[in-house]
Coordinates of all heavy atoms in Angstrom, one line a residue:
I8 N 100.8 84.3 111.2 CA 100.4 82.9 110.9 C 101.0 81.8 111.6 O 100.7 80.6 111.3 CB 100.5 82.7 109.3 CG1 102.0 82.7 108.9 CG2 99.7 83.7 108.5 CD1 102.2 82.0 107.6
A9 N 101.9 82.2 112.6 CA 102.7 81.0 113.3 C 101.6 80.1 114.0 O 100.6 80.6 114.6 CB 103.5 81.7 114.3
G10 N 101.9 78.8 113.8 CA 101.1 77.9 114.3 C 99.8 77.5 113.6 O 99.0 76.6 114.2
L11 N 99.5 78.1 112.5 CA 98.3 77.8 111.8 C 98.4 76.7 110.6 O 97.5 76.4 110.0 CB 97.8 79.1 111.1 CG 97.4 80.3 112.0 CD1 96.9 81.5 111.1 CD2 96.3 79.8 113.0
A12 N 99.7 76.3 110.6 CA 99.9 75.2 109.5 C 99.1 74.0 109.7 O 98.9 73.5 110.8 CB 101.5 74.8 109.6
G13 N 98.5 73.6 108.7 CA 97.6 72.4 108.6 C 96.2 72.7 109.0 O 95.3 71.9 108.7
R14 N 95.9 73.8 109.5 CA 94.5 74.2 109.8 C 93.9 75.2 108.7 O 92.7 75.3 108.7 CB 94.5 75.0 111.1 CG 95.1 74.2 112.3 CD 95.3 75.1 113.6 NE 94.1 75.8 113.9 CZ 94.1 76.9 114.7 NH1 95.3 77.3 115.3 NH2 92.9 77.5 115.1
V15 N 94.8 75.9 108.0 CA 94.3 76.9 106.9 C 95.4 77.0 106.0 O 96.5 77.0 106.3 CB 93.9 78.2 107.6 CG1 95.2 78.8 108.2 CG2 93.3 79.1 106.6
V16 N 95.0 77.2 104.7 CA 96.1 77.6 103.7 C 96.4 79.1 103.9 O 95.4 79.9 104.1 CB 95.5 77.4 102.3 CG1 96.6 77.9 101.2 CG2 95.3 75.9 102.0
T17 N 97.7 79.3 103.9 CA 98.1 80.8 104.1 C 98.9 81.3 102.8 O 99.6 80.5 102.2 CB 99.1 80.9 105.3 OG1 100.3 80.0 105.0 CG2 98.4 80.5 106.6
G18 N 98.5 82.4 102.4 CA 99.1 83.0 101.2 C 99.5 84.5 101.5 O 99.0 85.1 102.4
L19 N 100.5 85.0 100.8 CA 100.9 86.4 100.9 C 101.0 87.0 99.5 O 101.7 86.4 98.6 CB 102.2 86.6 101.6 CG 102.7 88.0 102.0 CD1 103.2 88.1 103.4 CD2 103.7 88.4 101.0
H20 N 100.4 88.1 99.3 CA 100.4 88.7 98.0 C 101.3 90.0 97.9 O 101.2 90.8 98.8 CB 98.9 89.1 97.6 CG 98.8 90.0 96.3 ND1 98.3 91.2 96.4 CD2 99.2 89.7 95.1 CE1 98.3 91.8 95.2 NE2 98.9 90.8 94.4
I21 N 102.0 90.1 96.8 CA 102.9 91.3 96.6 C 102.6 92.0 95.4 O 102.6 91.2 94.3 CB 104.5 90.8 96.7 CG1 104.7 90.2 98.1 CG2 105.3 92.1 96.5 CD1 106.1 89.7 98.1
C22 N 102.4 93.2 95.3 CA 102.2 93.9 94.0 C 102.8 95.3 94.1 O 103.4 95.8 95.2 CB 100.7 94.0 93.7 SG 99.8 95.2 94.7
R23 N 102.5 96.1 93.1 CA 103.2 97.5 92.9 C 102.1 98.5 92.9 O 102.4 99.6 92.4 CB 104.1 97.5 91.7 CG 105.3 96.7 91.9 CD 106.1 96.3 90.6 NE 107.3 95.5 90.9 CZ 107.2 94.2 91.2 NH1 106.0 93.6 91.4 NH2 108.3 93.5 91.5
G24 N 100.9 98.3 93.4 CA 99.8 99.2 93.3 C 98.8 98.9 92.3 O 99.2 98.3 91.2
N25 N 97.6 99.0 92.4 CA 96.6 98.5 91.7 C 95.3 99.4 91.5 O 94.4 99.2 90.7 CB 96.2 97.2 92.1 CG 95.3 96.5 91.1 OD1 95.6 96.2 90.0 ND2 94.1 96.0 91.6
R26 N 95.3 100.6 92.3 CA 94.1 101.5 92.2 C 93.8 101.9 91.0 O 94.6 102.6 90.4 CB 94.2 102.5 93.4 CG 93.1 103.3 93.6 CD 93.2 104.3 94.8 NE 94.4 105.1 94.8 CZ 94.3 106.4 94.3 NH1 93.1 106.9 94.0 NH2 95.3 107.2 94.3
A27 N 92.5 101.9 90.6 CA 92.0 102.4 89.3 C 92.9 102.2 88.1 O 93.1 103.0 87.4 CB 91.8 103.9 89.5
S28 N 93.5 100.9 88.0 CA 94.3 100.5 86.9 C 95.7 101.4 86.9 O 96.4 101.3 86.0 CB 93.7 100.8 85.6 OG 92.7 99.8 85.4
M29 N 96.0 102.0 88.1 CA 97.3 102.7 88.1 C 98.3 101.8 88.9 O 98.0 100.8 89.5 CB 97.1 104.0 89.0 CG 96.3 104.9 88.2 SD 96.1 106.6 89.0 CE 95.1 106.0 90.5
W30 N 99.6 102.1 88.8 CA 100.6 101.5 89.6 C 101.4 102.6 90.3 O 101.4 103.7 89.9 CB 101.6 100.6 88.6 CG 102.1 101.4 87.4 CD1 101.6 101.5 86.2 CD2 103.4 102.3 87.4 NE1 102.4 102.3 85.4 CE2 103.5 102.7 86.2 CE3 104.4 102.5 88.4 CZ2 104.6 103.6 85.7 CZ3 105.5 103.2 88.0 CH2 105.5 103.8 86.7
H31 N 102.0 102.2 91.4 CA 102.6 103.2 92.3 C 104.0 103.1 92.6 O 104.6 103.9 93.1 CB 101.8 103.2 93.6 CG 100.3 103.4 93.4 ND1 99.7 104.5 93.1 CD2 99.2 102.4 93.5 CE1 98.4 104.4 92.9 NE2 98.1 103.1 93.2
R32 N 104.6 101.8 92.3 CA 106.0 101.5 92.6 C 106.6 100.9 91.5 O 106.0 100.2 90.6 CB 106.0 100.8 93.9 CG 105.8 101.6 95.2 CD 105.7 100.7 96.4 NE 105.6 101.5 97.6 CZ 105.3 101.0 98.8 NH1 105.0 99.7 98.9 NH2 105.2 101.8 99.9
E33 N 108.0 100.9 91.4 CA 108.7 100.3 90.4 C 109.9 99.5 91.1 O 110.2 99.7 92.2 CB 109.4 101.3 89.4 CG 108.4 102.0 88.6 CD 109.1 103.0 87.6 OE1 110.2 103.5 88.0 OE2 108.6 103.2 86.4
G34 N 110.4 98.5 90.3 CA 111.5 97.7 90.9 C 111.2 96.2 90.8 O 110.2 95.8 91.1
T35 N 112.4 95.6 90.5 CA 112.3 94.1 90.3 C 112.4 93.5 91.7 O 112.7 94.1 92.7 CB 113.3 93.6 89.5 OG1 114.6 93.6 90.0 CG2 113.2 94.4 88.1
Y36 N 112.2 92.1 91.8 CA 112.3 91.4 93.0 C 113.8 91.0 93.5 O 113.9 90.6 94.5 CB 111.5 90.0 92.9 CG 110.0 90.2 92.6 CD1 109.4 90.0 91.5 CD2 109.2 90.5 93.8 CE1 108.1 90.1 91.3 CE2 107.9 90.7 93.6 CZ 107.3 90.4 92.4 OH 105.9 90.6 92.2

């Protein structure tokens, strides 16, 4: 995303797995 500031909103998503209501990883941030 370098150089995109001001041209688009940038986001990053972090999760622990989500397929078919399952989770795949454990651990706090």
